Amino acid sequence: DWDNSGEWSYYKKVEIIATAAEGGTVTSGGTFFYGETVILTATANEGYNFLNWSIDGVVVSEQPQIEHIALNDVKIVANFAFKTYSVEVESTTDGGSIIGTSTGVYNYGTELKFTAIPDKDYAFEYWCVNGEEAGNKQSLTITVDKPYTVSAVFKKEYYNQKITFAKGWNWISSYLSAPISVAELANNSV
């Protein structure tokens, strides 16, 4: 074999094929002289973590950069996995509950859907996501890209009634069996 300088070489050439499973990329790989040290680097894509390097399904390193000695033709694979994040859902709060997604660990990019259900005499007010107000629509969708804490805020509904009294008959005077004037009611003299 001729080497790159045009001189005769007695060294055998070895092919190192470095590939990336879904979720990342690798650098290096190619044809090398027997015994040469090859540096391989794996880089995870957004939303993924590097797991390990494997040859024929056997893990050979858990470091993203490795040195491999070229002794024979080999196919080495960089393996990756989705990042996972914890999502805490306060499903029952004062005045209502949340249905849909529950507390758990979710992969990066997972879409989570929530619906706020108010109890009787309560109304949904707003969502609280990681301690901050996050909208007032009764449904909420989050795409997982970090840890989340989700809760719903409800408010008690109060009903105010206004009574307008007319001259003449009124229900209070009927109840008391004696006529009471509106002026007397207004002055609280009864």
Side-chain angles (χ1 to χ4, degrees), residues 114-116 124-127 133-141 152:
F114 309 90
T115 303
F124 171 71
E125 192 166 17
Y126 62 88
W127 290 102
E133 192 171 324
N136 60 2
K137 293 186 179 180
Q138 205 160 343
S139 293
L140 174 71
T141 301

Side-chain angles (χ1 to χ4, degrees), residues 164-175 178-182 185:
T164 305
F165 296 103
K167 285 187 175 183
W169 180 91
N170 63 54
W171 69 273
I172 295 175
S173 61
S174 296
Y175 176 73
I180 300 172
S181 72
V182 172
L185 285 173

Side-chain angles (χ1 to χ4, degrees), residues 72-124:
N72 53 8
D73 293 344
V74 68
K75 181 177 178 183
I76 186 165
V77 179
N79 299 294
F80 303 89
F82 276 113
K83 289 182 178 179
T84 58
Y85 296 100
S86 176
V87 176
E88 183 179 336
V89 180
E90 296 175 15
S91 58
T92 304
T93 59
D94 190 30
S97 59
I98 299 172
I99 62 171
T101 303
S102 59
T103 295
V105 176
Y106 295 91
N107 287 342
Y108 176 92
T110 302
E111 190 174 89
L112 307 178
K113 295 182 181 204
F114 309 90
T115 303
I117 307 295
D119 291 340
K120 183 178 180 185
D121 296 329
Y122 283 85
F124 171 71

Side-chain angles (χ1 to χ4, degrees), residues 16-159:
I16 306 293
I17 301 171
T19 61
E22 179 183 351
T25 59
V26 296
T27 59
S28 208
T31 303
F32 301 91
F33 289 108
Y34 179 89
E36 187 174 352
T37 299
V38 180
I39 297 174
L40 303 171
T41 304
T43 305
N45 292 341
E46 182 178 353
Y48 287 84
N49 285 321
F50 170 78
L51 285 181
N52 57 46
W53 290 97
S54 62
I55 298 174
D56 296 327
V58 176
V59 174
V60 294
S61 177
E62 293 182 350
Q63 299 300 315
Q65 186 176 62
I66 62 169
E67 291 182 2
H68 180 77
I69 299 174
L71 299 176
N72 53 8
D73 293 344
V74 68
K75 181 177 178 183
I76 186 165
V77 179
N79 299 294
F80 303 89
F82 276 113
K83 289 182 178 179
T84 58
Y85 296 100
S86 176
V87 176
E88 183 179 336
V89 180
E90 296 175 15
S91 58
T92 304
T93 59
D94 190 30
S97 59
I98 299 172
I99 62 171
T101 303
S102 59
T103 295
V105 176
Y106 295 91
N107 287 342
Y108 176 92
T110 302
E111 190 174 89
L112 307 178
K113 295 182 181 204
F114 309 90
T115 303
I117 307 295
D119 291 340
K120 183 178 180 185
D121 296 329
Y122 283 85
F124 171 71
E125 192 166 17
Y126 62 88
W127 290 102
C128 187
V129 177
N130 291 346
E132 296 185 19
E133 192 171 324
N136 60 2
K137 293 186 179 180
Q138 205 160 343
S139 293
L140 174 71
T141 301
I142 294 174
T143 302
V144 176
D145 61 351
K146 61 185 173 187
Y148 284 99
T149 300
V150 179
S151 63
V153 177
F154 300 91
K155 65 179 176 182
K156 180 90 170 151
E157 289 186 320
Y158 294 96
Y159 298 98

